[in-house]
Amino acid sequence: MMRPMCGRYSLHANPGVIALAFKLGVAIDWSARYNITPSSRIVIVREDAAAGRVAALIKWGLIPGWAKDPTIGNKLANARGETVDEKPSFRNAFKRSRCLIPASGFYEWKTVAGRKQPYYMHPVGAPLFAIAGIPERWQ
């Protein structure tokens, strides 16, 4: 399971561009998505000892190995960089493995006149960037 550092994000680059940008041997089968939310299936890029750099589709929402109920992953959608190595929910996953999450942009919200207004953040002049991720396997 995975945790980007934002509440919602987008990935709408061509799969071939993603493969080229992240030096993947094979492009992943992915359709453009403009509002990716926690519990969605997302693209990650990780290092594999045998295959090198690979992409995979996994569910966004970290389920700690010790969790008895997988719905906890919906509550664990973000980790703070300052405390990711200290919090019990993230500590073991952070020590074991890391990955990159390709993104085209992400959303932040600001309350304006009592209503939440989304703002779309993206790099100028670049189709992609990466968000840090910490994968965890849950059984």
Side-chain angles (χ1 to χ4, degrees):
M1 302 301 145
M2 185 52 31
R3 302 177 50 75
M5 283 301 300
C6 55
R8 293 177 186 229
Y9 75 102
S10 69
L11 179 57
H12 48 78
N14 179 290
V17 172
I18 297 169
L20 185 62
F22 288 92
K23 298 181 173 73
L24 302 171
V26 177
I28 194 158
D29 185 17
W30 178 259
S31 297
R33 306 241 329 263
Y34 293 87
N35 189 17
I36 302 170
T37 61
S39 79
S40 299
R41 293 190 55 80
I42 63 172
V43 175
I44 67 162
V45 175
R46 63 181 179 77
E47 292 293 329
D48 180 274
R53 192 173 282 188
V54 297
L57 290 173
I58 65 171
K59 184 177 179 182
W60 174 12
L62 191 132
I63 303 170
W66 47 261
K68 292 181 170 63
D69 182 359
T71 60
I72 193 171
N74 297 332
K75 296 175 186 166
L76 299 175
N78 286 318
R80 291 189 171 277
E82 305 85 29
T83 58
V84 69
D85 62 337
E86 300 166 4
K87 299 288 183 181
S89 298
F90 309 114
R91 184 176 44 226
N92 290 335
F94 181 72
K95 287 178 186 175
R96 279 196 299 272
S97 63
R98 318 278 171 83
C99 69
L100 298 174
I101 303 165
S104 299
F106 63 93
Y107 299 91
E108 288 295 333
W109 280 262
K110 180 179 179 183
T111 302
V112 178
R115 296 183 68 198
K116 286 191 172 186
Q117 172 69 43
Y119 290 88
Y120 184 64
M121 312 293 187
H122 62 93
V124 175
L128 288 168
F129 65 99
I131 300 169
I134 50 173
E136 175 73 303
R137 205 175 278 281
W138 183 76
Q139 310 250 346

